[in-house]
Amino acid sequence: MGFLRFGPVGYAPYCADRLRRTVANGVRGEPPCWLELQATKSKKPIVISVTMMDGRTISLPVDSATTSKEVCQMLSQKVKLQDTFGFSLYVALYDKVWSLGSGREHVMDAISQCEQEVKRKGGQEQHAPWRLFFRKEIFTPWHDCSQDNVSTDIIYRQVIRGLKYGEYQCEKEEDTVALAAKHFYVQFGSDMSMENTRTVVKDILQALVSFCKGPLINTRTKSDKVKAEVVDYARQKWPMLFSKFFEVAKLSGPSLPKSKFICAINSMGITFLDEREKNLLVLSYPELTGVNAIRERKCVCLLTLKGDFTLNAITATDISDLVAMFLAGLIQRSQYAVTLQEVNRQDDKTFLSFKKAELIYLIKDDEFSVARGWLKGKNERTGEIGAVPADAVLILPTLTKPTNEVLSLISLSPDQRKTIIDNSVKGTITERVAPSTLKDFSVDYFRQPIKDVNRQVISKNAAPERLWANSREPIRQPLLKRLESADSLTKWCAPILKYMGDYPTRQVQSPLELTDQIFGPPTGNEELRDEIYCQIMKQMTSNNNRYSVEQGWQLLWLCCGLFPPSNSLLKHAQRFIETRKREPLATDCLQRLQGARRMEPRKLPPHQVEVDAIQQNSTQIFHKIQFPNDTQENFEVASNTKIKDLVRTIANKLMLSSAEGFSIFVKTPDKVLSLNETDYFFDSLRQITDWSRRAKRVNQAGGPVNVSYTVFFMRKLWFNIIPGRDVEADLIFHYPQELPKYLRGYHRCTKEEMVMLGALLFRMKVDNDKTQFPMIPRMLKDLVPNDQLKAMSADEWKKHIFAEYNKQTGTTVEQAVIGFLKIVYKWPTFGCAFFDVKQTSEPNFPDIVRIAISKQGVTVIHPKTKDILAVHPYNKIANWCSGSTYFHMTVGNLVRGNKILCETSLGYKIDDLLTSYVNMYLNEKRGQRRSQHFD
């Protein structure tokens, strides 16, 4: 703020106010929209128009930080709306409509998204046809139309409008007729002229002219009451159309057909829906016993009579707050309670006697003090009235009498409820196969159970240890008899139990730490792989803890993607999974198991991305890939995806003519490395990030270290390239990769070529906007090689570049890119990778030389004069090696060859490029031999 005070007159207070607003309302999620840019030029507030449901349009002043909550508050004040709950701001673009709610969503972010979509379709941002609406999104369960006539009128108009456009539809024709009659009465009272009838029929297309004869028209009911009846009808009949929707993923809870679904919350309860809007589960509020949010995990726990659900959602706090508010409001207004224990006070009529699980009607006449723990109630069974201890009843969150199902579930213990629900689920299955275990496998391959002397003393009849079934204690020896002597292998068991939640731990360990401990040893030692499969399946067998079983499936999913079990264990593992096909991950585990048999095993434990994905119960993994032209895209990557597979996938998606020469690169804070095409993608990532993590930990003297990285897709080997033949490759890769080399002055070129290239680069920046001509001197560093800026004065550069620019009239930006490449393509250094190194082997060369690597070989260049000092074709290079500070190369033969010794921190890059080009030529020769052999 201190800095802003010294800004230009007018802008200083303007910027300070914007900064205060941003701090108050939070960070934006989208770039500024066209409206904001125009407003910033004039320093005036932005004016937006919001359409009300009665057709009115209200203009409001807003700024870049304005939230949907602020807009809803301003609208409420303008129309004198008092009952503001559930009214939200909506945005529409073309045929898509979505809610911005009435919270912290930034309005300008939504408008920016609309403009981006219009631009993506080829339109202009300023002409984006977005619209804003103010309408009812959700009712409270206790909504009362008499509290606010303005609210009732807005909702009524919304319902009539929705009926007109087909948003709301009645199941029965008589309901449509009744609504039409009510609308007629609101509009015209008792005036039943034919003209008025046509107007109403036009408003509600499905209504019939005969509705005019209904009895409602003859009543003298007030218009407001009729509107309220329409609103109440909409609230009760269309709860799903007045709901808040949240995307969630089930982490734990009773079995459902899907693990990812939509959670709809409305005045009637909570509904879980799949992507086709099919109901997966419906919960009324009396069936909810509690709700809480785990903010750090972005989870919400719904405690219900049908089991407890842990749901992962970005909006977990919003879900928790909304449900908690509804439950608290319903309990406060409820007249129904269920007894939790028996009370028999026949001797004193002041007290109400009742049995356990009886329904009590609450009488709220303040005869007894609630603050002192007493309620007044009426026993439904006996009809008697008396005082009820508050701790002896459970007040139900409902305004209507609870169903018998709810009352019976409340009367049962949690275990009894689980049994009933499980039985009802089983009843829907025509045939249920008993889950397979490792019992049969254990007979031939497991060691003998350990004799526990203490256990025998405590109980002579104790059953022998079941090595193939769940255990809460870590095992003391490996399960497999062939590993029995390797006691150190039992250290895996504790991490498996910790991951599954079966073993208490004081120190919080990340899931990745645990998966490293579990899968690290077997990825490096084939002998240990069956042991891991057995330990995971053992912990999942006869396990009554649903959360633990789900975590076990996650481990099995990861395991199946790393390596297969041996042939002796394979059929048992397959059977184990096949007999549990109702589990969400079972089918995917089976597919991964089959895939692992056909592929080479992974070399390293799962990557952080894999662990994060399965922690969210997601079996699809998408990874962001960056391109040289500053664009990016997400690509699906599986556990068994190899680099060469990903390269082909990206090339096909971008519609490149060929994937040859392209590679995946990973950029860490200290290195940029090309990935080996034969390696698995996630193994390569692990290798690089683990190396960086270890190096960083050494520098920082230990402690947990996070390593950021970025994955790039670029051209690595430059061959078979002709500018203009593959335009997509030219635009996305060749131009953005060659431009920096040109501007750094790596190429030798004439002044005429520099002027032509400068004009083409200028056109790429401004297109046909000649008003930017005076800006050329400021742009020179982006138009001319760095070492040639002083070859002419800035004005001379400007004159020559603009003259050449005028000769290119009619050239498009795309054509300018191709033109740039066609000029650079003619130079012998086109496509080279350049490295400035210190050489210590050739006395006739300067100390610092520039090494250029291309399809021709290794070229040594003078960095100042750009003279070529030496050229070494690949067939003359005998050997090379590199380290963290050097690169050495032998030219000629190994005995009498010349050694080139260089000091550089980029030796690993030079080494990799040489290897890649040599391998390319070797593969070409092999291909030629094969073709000659077949010919």
Side-chain angles (χ1 to χ4, degrees):
M1 296 295 282
F3 175 82
L4 294 177
R5 277 199 292 271
F6 297 99
V9 178
Y11 270 104
Y14 177 72
C15 291
D17 182 60
R18 286 172 64 84
L19 182 58
R20 276 191 293 268
R21 290 275 296 149
T22 301
V23 171
N25 285 359
V27 179
R28 288 271 299 276
E30 298 290 338
C33 65
W34 183 84
L35 273 179
E36 293 175 84
L37 296 175
Q38 301 309 307
T40 303
K41 293 176 184 177
S42 61
K43 300 189 292 295
K44 292 180 180 178
I46 305 163
V47 177
I48 60 171
S49 296
V50 183
T51 302
M52 305 294 288
M53 288 298 97
D54 58 3
R56 283 183 294 167
T57 300
I58 297 177
S59 297
L60 301 171
V62 296
D63 60 21
S64 297
T66 299
T67 62
S68 56
K69 180 180 180 180
E70 292 173 334
V71 171
C72 289
Q73 287 174 342
M74 286 187 283
L75 287 167
S76 299
Q77 290 170 3
K78 280 187 175 288
V79 300
K80 295 183 171 57
L81 178 66
Q82 296 174 354
D83 183 11
T84 58
F85 176 83
F87 282 95
S88 295
L89 189 66
Y90 283 74
V91 63
L93 179 69
Y94 304 128
D95 57 349
K96 184 180 178 183
V97 181
W98 68 97
S99 169
L100 300 182
S102 56
R104 295 183 65 83
E105 289 286 334
H106 286 87
V107 177
M108 289 300 144
D109 273 353
I111 294 173
S112 178
Q113 288 175 342
C114 293
E115 291 183 357
Q116 291 173 48
E117 178 63 16
V118 169
K119 187 176 180 182
R120 190 181 69 82
K121 292 187 175 182
Q124 294 181 312
E125 293 99 322
Q126 60 264 42
H127 298 140
W130 53 265
R131 293 154 292 150
L132 294 173
F133 296 95
F134 183 66
R135 51 183 284 158
K136 188 74 167 178
E137 183 175 18
I138 187 173
F139 290 98
T140 60
W142 53 86
H143 180 82
D144 183 357
C145 289
S146 64
Q147 296 296 314
D148 185 1
N149 288 338
V150 174
S151 165
T152 302
D153 182 67
I154 293 172
I155 304 168
Y156 168 78
R157 302 288 177 190
Q158 179 177 327
V159 173
I160 297 301
R161 190 174 184 273
L163 286 165
K164 179 179 180 179
Y165 292 107
E167 181 183 0
Y168 307 128
Q169 293 181 353
C170 299
E171 292 180 4
K172 299 177 182 178
E173 188 177 277
E174 51 264 37
D175 287 350
T176 307
V177 171
L179 287 172
K182 293 176 191 292
H183 182 48
F184 184 98
Y185 183 81
V186 169
Q187 294 283 88
F188 308 111
S190 299
D191 184 357
M192 296 175 61
S193 66
M194 205 61 201
E195 183 181 347
N196 291 343
T197 302
R198 289 195 189 95
T199 303
V200 171
V201 173
K202 188 178 179 182
D203 274 353
I204 305 178
L205 298 176
Q206 299 300 318
L208 307 172
V209 177
S210 59
F211 70 81
C212 298
K213 298 176 182 177
L216 179 67
I217 304 305
N218 298 322
T219 67
R220 296 185 177 274
T221 312
K222 290 185 178 179
S223 174
D224 288 342
K225 186 178 178 182
V226 176
K227 289 180 182 178
E229 289 173 358
V230 173
V231 171
D232 285 336
Y233 175 90
R235 177 173 62 84
Q236 293 163 11
K237 291 291 184 181
W238 302 312
M240 292 306 299
L241 299 177
F242 290 95
S243 302
K244 273 189 171 289
F245 299 95
F246 304 92
E247 291 184 0
V248 300
K250 182 170 77 74
L251 299 181
S252 66
S255 179
L256 291 173
K258 301 282 179 95
S259 60
K260 286 188 174 182
F261 46 84
I262 303 296
C263 176
I265 302 175
N266 52 56
S267 59
M268 297 299 181
I270 298 175
T271 305
F272 295 163
L273 305 158
D274 65 11
E275 66 277 5
R276 296 180 180 177
E277 298 185 11
K278 178 184 175 183
N279 288 359
L280 303 178
L281 181 69
V282 179
L283 295 166
S284 62
Y285 287 113
E287 292 174 289
L288 288 169
T289 58
V291 62
N292 57 75
I294 307 172
R295 294 176 188 273
E296 59 274 13
R297 288 180 56 197
K298 293 185 178 177
C299 292
V300 60
C301 297
L302 292 178
L303 312 179
T304 82
L305 297 177
K306 294 181 178 178
D308 298 342
F309 293 89
T310 302
L311 307 176
N312 175 253
I314 297 172
T315 52
T317 305
D318 294 342
I319 296 172
S320 177
D321 291 347
L322 182 60
V323 175
M325 188 198 87
F326 280 2
L327 289 177
L330 284 168
I331 289 171
Q332 182 184 351
R333 295 166 174 81
S334 177
Q335 295 181 328
Y336 302 95
V338 173
T339 58
L340 301 174
Q341 62 194 51
E342 182 177 348
V343 173
N344 189 356
R345 296 295 299 272
Q346 299 292 340
D347 56 329
D348 190 341
K349 295 299 181 182
T350 304
F351 300 98
L352 182 64
S353 296
F354 45 80
K355 294 179 180 179
K356 185 179 178 181
E358 288 193 325
L359 183 65
I360 303 294
Y361 295 106
L362 300 176
I363 301 170
K364 299 182 179 181
D365 58 4
D366 297 330
E367 182 178 345
F368 301 112
S369 173
V370 176
R372 294 188 178 184
W374 292 99
L375 304 169
K376 184 177 180 181
K378 177 182 178 182
N379 189 321
E380 184 200 32
R381 178 177 58 85
T382 64
E384 295 177 351
I385 297 174
V388 180
D391 59 359
V393 296
L394 173 69
I395 300 177
L396 300 178
T398 181
L399 302 181
T400 58
K401 184 180 176 181
T403 63
N404 291 331
E405 181 192 6
V406 170
L407 294 174
S408 62
L409 284 173
I410 291 172
S411 67
L412 301 174
S413 68
D415 289 339
Q416 290 172 322
R417 283 201 292 266
K418 185 177 184 302
T419 302
I420 289 174
I421 292 164
D422 287 348
N423 288 339
S424 66
V425 171
K426 290 176 187 176
T428 63
I429 305 170
T430 55
E431 182 182 353
R432 188 175 179 86
V433 181
S436 177
T437 70
L438 293 178
K439 185 176 181 179
D440 293 340
F441 179 81
S442 69
V443 173
D444 295 324
Y445 296 96
F446 278 15
R447 61 172 169 80
Q448 290 298 312
I450 297 172
K451 291 182 179 179
D452 192 332
V453 177
N454 293 330
R455 198 158 171 260
Q456 289 178 349
V457 170
I458 293 169
S459 175
K460 292 181 180 179
N461 298 320
E465 182 186 7
R466 297 191 305 168
L467 290 179
W468 45 269
N470 172 271
S471 170
R472 288 277 175 173
E473 296 180 11
I475 57 176
R476 302 176 192 177
Q477 292 181 7
L479 297 173
L480 297 173
K481 64 173 69 171
R482 60 184 169 83
L483 301 175
E484 198 167 356
S485 59
D487 291 346
S488 61
L489 299 183
T490 56
K491 63 185 179 183
W492 295 335
C493 190
I496 291 174
L497 268 63
K498 288 177 183 177
Y499 188 97
M500 294 176 65
D502 292 335
Y503 189 79
T505 175
R506 292 180 181 175
Q507 185 180 1
V508 178
Q509 287 181 283
S510 71
L512 185 66
E513 285 182 81
L514 295 173
T515 54
D516 282 355
Q517 293 171 27
I518 295 166
F519 298 113
T523 49
N525 187 344
E526 185 177 354
E527 290 292 312
L528 312 180
R529 291 169 186 168
D530 278 2
E531 179 72 21
I532 283 297
Y533 269 103
C534 291
Q535 288 199 25
I536 293 171
M537 288 187 283
K538 162 191 165 67
Q539 278 306 108
M540 294 167 66
T541 301
S542 302
N543 191 337
N544 295 322
N545 184 333
R546 186 62 207 166
Y547 174 81
S548 172
V549 171
E550 288 175 353
Q551 296 296 101
W553 277 105
Q554 292 179 8
L555 287 179
L556 189 58
W557 185 87
L558 290 169
C559 195
C560 291
L562 295 173
F563 43 75
S566 66
N567 290 333
S568 58
L569 179 59
L570 178 63
K571 64 179 181 180
H572 296 276
Q574 286 177 324
R575 186 67 181 156
F576 182 93
I577 298 169
E578 286 169 351
T579 55
R580 293 167 171 82
K581 277 198 170 178
R582 287 176 56 82
E583 296 289 345
L585 293 176
T587 303
D588 214 64
C589 282
L590 209 54
Q591 291 173 352
R592 286 164 69 87
L593 192 64
Q594 298 298 338
R597 294 178 62 200
R598 297 189 295 269
M599 306 286 288
E600 295 176 17
R602 287 269 296 272
K603 296 175 182 176
L604 294 170
H607 188 267
Q608 178 80 61
V609 174
E610 295 175 274
V611 178
D612 288 346
I614 199 60
Q615 283 265 304
Q616 304 297 325
N617 284 323
S618 173
T619 56
Q620 272 190 307
I621 303 172
F622 291 89
H623 206 291
K624 185 191 297 178
I625 308 291
Q626 304 259 31
F627 303 122
N629 66 339
D630 291 332
T631 61
Q632 61 188 34
E633 200 164 332
N634 287 327
F635 290 87
E636 186 174 356
V637 186
S639 297
N640 60 358
T641 298
K642 291 197 171 185
I643 302 300
K644 60 184 177 184
D645 301 326
L646 183 56
V647 168
R648 287 195 204 100
T649 300
I650 297 172
N652 291 337
K653 181 76 179 292
L654 298 179
M655 293 186 289
L656 304 180
S657 62
S658 171
E660 295 297 323
F662 288 95
S663 185
I664 303 288
F665 294 81
V666 174
K667 181 181 180 182
T668 64
D670 48 8
K671 279 194 175 186
V672 178
L673 290 153
S674 170
L675 304 188
N676 188 336
E677 67 170 15
T678 60
D679 289 344
Y680 287 110
F681 176 72
F682 284 121
D683 274 354
S684 296
L685 284 188
R686 279 248 22 177
Q687 196 171 18
I688 291 170
T689 53
D690 285 358
W691 182 89
S692 296
R693 190 177 287 111
R694 283 193 295 271
K696 207 170 181 183
R697 189 175 287 121
V698 169
N699 294 336
Q700 297 180 357
V705 175
N706 290 322
V707 176
S708 61
Y709 69 90
T710 309
V711 180
F712 285 90
F713 180 73
M714 297 187 290
R715 179 170 283 284
K716 179 181 182 181
L717 306 181
W718 294 71
F719 62 93
N720 294 337
I721 299 171
I722 299 174
R725 186 170 66 180
D726 187 348
V727 176
E728 287 298 316
D730 289 339
L731 296 174
I732 303 173
F733 302 100
H734 302 155
Y735 166 70
Q737 285 186 243
E738 278 299 296
L739 177 62
K741 302 175 195 176
Y742 169 69
L743 294 178
R744 287 172 191 153
Y746 289 160
H747 300 289
R748 169 177 276 181
C749 48
T750 65
K751 191 176 292 184
E752 291 76 16
E753 287 172 326
M754 287 188 284
V755 169
M756 290 172 66
L757 291 171
L760 290 168
L761 292 172
F762 181 63
R763 181 169 296 281
M764 291 178 220
K765 288 186 176 295
V766 304
D767 199 1
N768 295 317
D769 186 5
K770 293 187 177 183
T771 60
Q772 298 294 319
F773 165 63
M775 300 298 293
I776 288 179
R778 292 188 184 180
M779 298 164 63
L780 275 180
K781 68 179 190 313
D782 296 325
L783 306 177
V784 178
N786 186 51
D787 63 336
Q788 298 296 320
L789 288 172
K790 295 182 180 178
M792 288 190 283
S793 68
D795 285 339
E796 285 184 88
W797 277 119
K798 181 174 75 171
K799 181 177 73 176
H800 285 88
I801 287 173
F802 195 64
E804 184 64 32
Y805 171 86
N806 286 329
K807 293 178 186 177
Q808 302 166 356
T809 303
T811 302
T812 65
V813 170
E814 186 176 300
Q815 289 169 338
V817 170
I818 307 300
F820 173 91
L821 289 173
K822 283 183 176 178
I823 296 172
V824 179
Y825 171 73
K826 298 174 184 176
W827 301 337
T829 46
F830 171 74
C832 285
F834 297 94
F835 303 91
D836 285 351
V837 302
K838 182 179 180 182
Q839 66 88 23
T840 56
S841 53
E842 181 55 64
N844 296 325
F845 292 176
D847 289 346
I848 304 298
V849 295
R850 181 166 295 152
I851 288 180
I853 299 175
S854 67
K855 63 181 179 181
Q856 281 84 20
V858 178
T859 305
V860 183
I861 300 173
H862 195 297
K864 291 183 178 177
T865 65
K866 298 175 191 171
D867 290 334
I868 293 176
L869 304 176
V871 178
H872 305 294
Y874 290 112
N875 59 358
K876 300 295 184 183
I877 300 173
N879 191 15
W880 65 87
C881 61
S882 66
S884 59
T885 59
Y886 68 89
F887 173 76
H888 295 172
M889 183 174 71
T890 303
V891 180
N893 60 57
L894 290 172
V895 180
R896 303 181 62 183
N898 296 324
K899 285 197 173 182
I900 299 174
L901 309 177
C902 304
E903 293 178 18
T904 175
S905 61
L906 300 176
Y908 69 96
K909 277 191 173 183
I910 302 173
D911 191 327
D912 177 57
L913 269 174
L914 281 178
T915 304
S916 298
Y917 271 116
V918 168
N919 286 339
M920 179 190 78
Y921 285 119
L922 289 174
N923 291 335
E924 275 186 7
K925 283 186 178 179
R926 290 193 197 105
Q928 289 169 1
R929 285 177 193 152
R930 275 196 216 102
S931 61
Q932 288 170 2
H933 174 74
F934 286 111
D935 289 344

